[in-house]
């Protein structure tokens, strides 16, 4: 049975302007007309004085990990965790979410490779019950030599839609030195000095062959239409490596120079919405607002707080010199294009009415 709805009289955020008092006709979930002369038998939903914008697309959200493991070694059933994350994203206005699942055996917890694979498969199973589109962003810690076969299998089975390479080897990226990395592991996973020494030694050893593993995963990803990203890029060399692998997204570049280098290469840059609200990075990297004002930010993501995405986007016209359509594009159109979607992210005829 066909469904027809007319959203009437809203302030509509179009790609380049705000339309005041615009009408949007939707047929079977697709935008079929803007300001139609006739809506026929469509159900009319009056939205006067309301703001209408595309559903947001969150390319990187870690929040599912906390739904699964709210406290260390305390785990909820995966279906329950997926249902809670799904509802929270719907409430937050996020209609396409990429759950960032980390494959980093050294970090243990939910980031243990076997557990991460279980969560990835659970997300796919839950989608038949979901309110929004739940996808998986597989985060591969490149110094882990045991994860590639597991990720390869998940990609081949269609369970992964975005693959990112992260390197938490001390001395670069998020962890500027060994002490900051040790402090993170000690606090997050309660490791002893001896255990930390073993983890550090293994990471440094496995780093020597990381690029070969990255190349192998990248080839599988490209073969299956999975977008490729890199995490915490801090130099032109990192961007060059990402580009050589077919990467399209630079997540959380740590400085403006690297962000601008990525954009010059045609690689989209992604920053955290919580960084906008807090006014700073949790790891001392570049402020996301500075990146926006410098024209070096393409996308915002929820990171660890999906609730921050809408508030951050709507605050940008007051905090910076960009307009509302450009601010909304950071959480809708731009991430859609970065991930390879052309059916969503803007209010236009033929697009999904999410």
């Amino acid at each position: 049975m066909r469904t027809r709805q007319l959203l009437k009289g809203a302030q509509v955020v179009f790609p380049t302007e705000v339309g005041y008092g615009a009408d949007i006709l939707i047929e079977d979930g697709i935008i079929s007309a803007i300001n139609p002369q006739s809506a026929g038998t469509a159900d009319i939903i009056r939205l006067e004085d309301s703001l209408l914008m595309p559903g947001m697309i969150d390319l990187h959200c870690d929040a599912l990990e906390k739904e699964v493991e709210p406290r260390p070694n305390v785990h909820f059933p995966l279906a329950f965790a997926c249902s809670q994350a799904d509802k929270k994203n719907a409430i937050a206005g996020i209609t396409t979410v990429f759950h960032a699942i980390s494959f980093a055996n050294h970090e243990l917890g939910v980031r243990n490779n076997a557990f991460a694979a279980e969560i990835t498969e659970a997300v796919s199973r839950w989608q038949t019950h979901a309110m929004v589109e739940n996808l998986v962003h597989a985060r591969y810690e490149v110094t882990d030599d045991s994860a590639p076969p597991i990720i390869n299998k998940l990609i081949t089975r269609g369970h992964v839609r975005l693959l990112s390479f992260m390197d938490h080897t001390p001395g670069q990226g998020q962890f500027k030195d060994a002490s900051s990395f040790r402090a993170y592991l000690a606090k997050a996973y309660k490791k002893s000095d001896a255990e930390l020494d073993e983890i550090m030694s293994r990471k440094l050893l496995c780093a020597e062959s990381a690029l070969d593993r990255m190349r192998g995963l990248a080839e599988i990803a490209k073969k299956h239409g999975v977008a490729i990203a890199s995490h915490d890029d801090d130099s032109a060399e990192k961007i060059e490596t990402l580009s050589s692998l077919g990467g399209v997204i630079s997540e959380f570049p740590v400085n403006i120079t690297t962000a601008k280098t990525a954009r010059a290469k045609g690689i989209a840059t992604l920053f955290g919405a919580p960084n906008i609200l807090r006014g700073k990075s949790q790891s001392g990297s570049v402020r996301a607002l500075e990146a926006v004002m410098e024209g070096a930010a393409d996308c915002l993501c929820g990171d660890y707080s999906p609730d921050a995405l809408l508030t951050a986007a709507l605050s940008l016209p007051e905090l910076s010199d960009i307009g509302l359509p450009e601010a909304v594009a950071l959480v809708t159109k731009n991430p859609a294009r970065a991930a390879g979607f052309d059916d969503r992210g803007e209010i236009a005829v033929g697009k999904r009415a999410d």
Side-chain angles (χ1 to χ4, degrees):
M1 181 179 177
R2 291 176 64 88
T3 60
R4 303 177 82 243
Q5 297 171 310
L6 182 69
L7 307 185
K8 192 170 182 62
Q11 298 179 44
V12 181
V13 184
F14 293 114
T16 60
E17 64 181 353
V18 178
Y20 295 91
D23 297 343
I24 309 297
L25 182 63
I26 301 168
E27 299 187 70
D28 293 334
I30 302 296
I31 298 171
S32 61
I34 296 171
N35 292 325
Q37 292 186 343
S38 173
T41 59
D43 294 329
I44 296 176
I45 300 175
R46 298 190 180 278
L47 296 176
E48 284 82 355
D49 300 322
S50 296
L51 188 71
L52 182 67
M53 59 179 274
M56 293 185 293
I57 298 160
D58 192 351
L59 294 177
H60 181 126
C61 185
D62 301 334
L64 180 59
E65 291 182 340
K66 287 300 182 184
E67 296 292 345
V68 174
E69 188 179 44
R71 292 182 177 179
N73 299 315
V74 175
H75 300 145
F76 278 127
L78 296 184
F80 174 79
C82 288
S83 73
Q84 297 307 300
D86 181 55
K87 287 183 284 190
K88 290 176 181 178
N89 278 296
I91 291 169
I94 296 165
T95 52
T96 304
V97 56
F98 288 75
H99 296 290
I101 309 299
S102 293
F103 291 78
N105 253 9
H106 302 302
E107 297 186 27
L108 308 177
V110 293
R111 297 186 172 187
N112 171 278
N113 290 333
F115 200 178
E118 287 184 39
I119 298 171
T120 297
E121 292 172 342
V123 170
S124 293
R125 288 194 301 270
W126 178 256
Q127 188 53 40
T128 58
H129 311 288
M131 300 174 69
V132 305
E133 186 159 6
N134 293 267
L135 304 170
V136 168
H137 169 169
R139 302 175 60 193
Y140 169 52
E141 177 62 46
V142 301
T143 56
D144 181 1
D145 56 0
S146 61
I150 298 171
I151 298 175
N152 277 342
K153 184 179 295 185
L154 292 170
I155 290 175
T156 302
R157 292 177 176 175
H159 296 318
V160 172
R161 186 63 181 77
L162 175 61
L163 169 70
S164 66
F165 297 116
M166 56 182 183
D167 184 355
H168 288 137
T169 303
Q172 49 79 55
Q174 179 180 348
F175 297 108
K176 309 294 189 296
D177 52 49
S179 61
S180 62
F181 182 71
R182 291 178 70 94
Y184 163 73
L185 283 182
K187 180 179 179 180
Y189 298 104
K190 314 300 181 186
K191 294 298 173 184
S192 67
D193 285 342
E195 290 172 318
L196 291 173
D197 288 340
E198 182 180 352
I199 291 172
M200 297 274 286
S201 297
R202 182 168 178 77
K203 283 183 73 68
L204 291 171
L205 178 63
C206 289
E208 298 175 4
S209 53
L211 187 56
D212 288 338
R213 293 191 294 274
M214 293 164 67
R215 287 175 177 145
L217 279 171
E219 288 305 311
I220 294 292
K222 287 183 286 188
K223 179 180 178 181
H224 289 86
V226 173
I228 298 171
S230 183
H231 189 75
D232 289 340
D233 297 313
D234 60 0
S235 65
E237 290 76 18
K238 290 283 186 68
I239 297 301
E240 191 61 43
T241 298
L242 174 60
S243 179
S244 72
L245 294 170
V248 294
I249 301 169
S250 175
E251 298 189 291
F252 317 112
V254 302
N255 55 62
I256 287 291
T257 300
T258 302
K260 289 184 175 180
T261 300
R263 297 191 82 236
K265 283 273 189 182
I267 294 171
T269 56
L270 176 69
F271 292 88
N275 187 315
I276 296 285
L277 297 187
R278 298 178 65 247
K280 61 182 179 179
S281 163
Q282 64 173 356
S283 59
S285 298
V286 66
R287 294 169 63 226
L289 180 58
E290 180 184 350
V292 171
M293 296 179 73
E294 288 280 342
D298 292 300
C299 311
L300 294 178
C301 68
D303 198 1
Y304 52 86
S305 176
D307 295 333
L309 201 57
L310 181 62
T311 301
L314 295 184
S315 69
L316 283 175
E318 293 184 6
L319 296 175
S320 68
D321 58 356
I322 68 173
L324 183 59
E326 189 176 357
V328 167
L330 292 170
V331 296
T332 57
K333 179 182 177 181
N334 295 355
R337 302 300 172 268
F341 289 125
D342 60 7
D343 64 342
R344 70 196 75 181
E346 58 184 296
I347 295 179
V349 173
K351 304 296 183 181
R352 281 173 39 159
D354 55 359

